Amino acid sequence: MADTSNLLALFREVVEEVDKKKLPDVTEKSVIADLGIDSLSTMQIIGELENRLDIMIPDDQLVKLETVGDLLAVVERCAAKKG
Amino acid sequence: MAMLGHEGERDPVDTRLALKLYEEYKTFFKNAERTRRWNVFDDIPWDKIRKDVPEELALVVETFCAVEAYLPDYVSGGLALVRPYMGSLWFQTNWGYEESKHALSLQEFLLQSGARTDEQMVDLQNKLWAGQRWTPLFQTGRQMTIYGAIQEQATFVFYVRQRERAKELGHETLATIFDFIARDEVAHAHFYEGVVKVLLEQDREGTLRDIATVTRDFKMPAYDLVPDYDERVLVMRELAGMDRDMFFQKVYFPVLKAIGIGRNDVVQAMARQRREAQPSAE
Ligand SMILES: [Fe+2]
Ligand SMILES: [Fe+2]
């Protein structure tokens, strides 16, 4: 399964697709809002990550996603469950 | 085929859609008549009204009052878009009656509590009507129906939070008003959700595309019309705790669930729109 650095690369790729943004310096500590990614784009980015990793994150877990790390942690948890 | 299309479209009516919308309206109206009617003058404990309304609360009430005050524009704009479908037309007119009670009870609260004077209310109305008219945010009846589902659910959540807030502060009269209004708002949301389900059955891809569009461009009504709305929104947000997470968890996702689609259906529709917007590679 995708490890964290792979996930970060995938995140970058998806952001570029969804938001036409290149984020070479993004880290897990980056605050999503500071990257100019709004809540709607966040929803799309999560959706794309779900599609690519073939996972489904329950809606109620999509709260308090401040940093890129918060977001990837939810994705990772869900991917791990899938095994 | 007319499918809750653009204003002025005179395509032939889709019979199946017309019948379904009529059924949706009958269900809505029957429930309203049987379980939801309330009387502004008799059902609100006006005798318990308190005169010590904190200004922050008065501002919330006044802002809602202002948003509800654009009712004539909402009704005329809405009616034009859903012609010639009787179910949706009658819903709009009945909806207007219910919303007018919201504006009236909120205004009466401000006046009877002494939070605002007659002159202040007239002044606010003057400001409202001297400004621009409200025009629909979206161009078709289908998009406005989707918008209605989300917007009414948001309003419902808002009023419920305000009801709790009014209770905490010991303003029983206001809590009762908010309670009646909240019940109406959620009924409105349910009507729109029912119609969106019908529209999805009829044209799933097109309706999903419209859901994506409305999601992308959603904002609350009269957002840029009400005087000082930006400052008011800040106050209200603080009071109601309506942040982004709450909007998704309490408003948006429940609406999607009610209309029987998932978040991913919308995300995919958005991806399709993105691809369509891209110039082809060849
Ligand atoms: Fe209302
Ligand atoms: Fe409403």
Side-chain angles (χ1 to χ4, degrees):
Chain A
M1 197 15 78
D3 65 30
T4 317
S5 62
N6 280 347
L7 271 184
L8 195 60
L10 189 60
F11 174 80
R12 235 183 255 132
E13 201 181 306
V14 167
V15 172
E16 198 179 331
E17 187 186 313
V18 169
D19 244 3
K20 309 266 169 297
K21 276 192 179 76
K22 285 199 199 302
L23 302 173
D25 303 326
V26 70
T27 71
E28 296 201 17
K29 293 212 173 65
S30 310
V31 174
I32 297 171
D34 293 350
L35 300 170
I37 298 171
D38 65 12
S39 48
L40 190 64
S41 295
T42 306
M43 185 177 94
Q44 295 178 76
I45 290 161
I46 291 167
E48 286 298 331
L49 290 170
E50 287 177 318
N51 288 343
R52 290 181 190 210
L53 298 169
D54 193 23
I55 55 172
M56 225 177 90
I57 302 169
D59 288 345
D60 60 12
Q61 301 207 358
L62 304 181
V63 285
K64 303 208 166 65
L65 306 179
E66 299 284 332
T67 65
V68 173
D70 295 339
L71 193 157
L72 295 184
V74 176
V75 172
E76 210 178 356
R77 260 205 314 275
C78 207
K81 245 187 223 154
K82 191 188 147 217
Chain B
M1 186 72 66
M3 203 185 325
L4 296 182
H6 293 82
E7 179 175 351
E9 259 181 19
R10 287 293 172 268
D11 290 342
V13 171
D14 179 326
T15 309
R16 204 176 135 262
L17 179 61
L19 293 175
K20 289 217 165 188
L21 293 181
Y22 182 61
E23 280 308 312
E24 291 292 329
Y25 172 69
K26 264 198 320 194
T27 305
F28 166 83
F29 190 66
K30 185 174 72 193
N31 289 337
E33 293 287 271
R34 284 192 180 151
T35 65
R36 206 164 42 74
R37 290 291 174 235
W38 56 283
N39 185 307
V40 175
F41 306 98
D42 301 336
D43 295 333
I44 293 166
W46 294 112
D47 55 327
K48 292 192 179 140
I49 202 160
R50 279 172 46 183
K51 307 273 177 183
D52 56 342
V53 183
E55 179 51 28
E56 51 175 53
L57 194 60
L59 194 66
V60 169
V61 178
E62 188 191 67
T63 303
F64 276 121
C65 202
V67 172
E68 304 268 11
Y70 284 100
L71 180 62
D73 285 352
Y74 302 147
V75 173
S76 58
L79 286 173
L81 283 174
V82 296
R83 276 173 99 93
Y85 289 95
M86 190 174 141
S88 289
L89 284 167
W90 285 18
F91 170 79
Q92 282 292 323
T93 50
N94 189 74
W95 175 90
Y97 154 71
E98 294 187 8
E99 296 291 344
S100 77
K101 281 165 38 182
H102 303 174
L104 183 62
S105 53
L106 294 173
Q107 170 143 333
E108 277 302 303
F109 174 81
L110 288 170
L111 292 172
Q112 292 190 32
S113 67
R116 293 291 183 272
T117 62
D118 288 328
E119 289 74 23
Q120 282 172 318
M121 291 315 288
V122 171
D123 188 49
L124 177 67
Q125 275 177 31
N126 279 337
K127 272 195 204 151
L128 292 176
W129 292 109
Q132 292 168 332
R133 272 173 174 234
W134 176 88
T135 48
L137 265 165
F138 298 96
Q139 302 313 310
T140 68
R142 185 164 72 184
Q143 288 174 350
M144 279 309 285
T145 301
I146 295 161
Y147 174 75
I150 302 172
Q151 185 266 322
E152 296 282 353
Q153 176 71 17
T155 314
F156 164 68
V157 170
F158 227 101
Y159 277 121
V160 167
R161 310 254 333 171
Q162 295 304 329
R163 179 191 67 200
E164 296 313 304
R165 172 86 183 153
K167 265 190 210 161
E168 270 167 40
L169 294 170
H171 285 275
E172 189 191 331
T173 307
L174 185 58
T176 307
I177 295 171
F178 283 149
D179 189 53
F180 281 126
I181 298 180
R183 284 168 42 193
D184 287 351
E185 307 297 11
V186 79
H188 300 162
H190 287 159
F191 172 81
Y192 285 125
E193 286 161 0
V195 175
V196 177
K197 271 168 110 169
V198 170
L199 296 169
L200 275 164
E201 273 168 32
Q202 203 192 27
D203 172 14
R204 187 173 170 85
E205 204 180 317
T207 305
L208 282 172
R209 195 188 316 122
D210 280 351
I211 293 172
T213 300
V214 173
T215 301
R216 206 178 36 237
D217 299 333
F218 182 86
K219 55 182 179 173
M220 288 303 275
Y223 188 76
D224 22 30
L225 299 182
V226 176
D228 319 315
Y229 193 90
D230 287 342
E231 288 136 63
R232 293 169 189 275
V233 163
L234 282 181
V235 174
M236 295 207 296
R237 236 182 233 160
E238 232 158 75
L239 276 179
M242 178 76 122
D243 58 12
R244 208 177 39 181
D245 281 351
M246 194 173 147
F247 179 79
F248 278 104
Q249 299 295 331
K250 302 270 185 207
V251 177
Y252 189 67
F253 296 152
V255 169
L256 294 189
K257 198 170 170 209
I259 60 180
I261 63 169
R263 178 164 51 79
N264 218 283
D265 292 313
V266 184
V267 168
Q268 285 180 20
M270 286 173 167
R272 273 198 295 279
Q273 283 183 324
R274 263 200 319 275
R275 282 196 299 273
E276 282 162 18
Q278 255 164 22
S280 76
E282 291 113 291

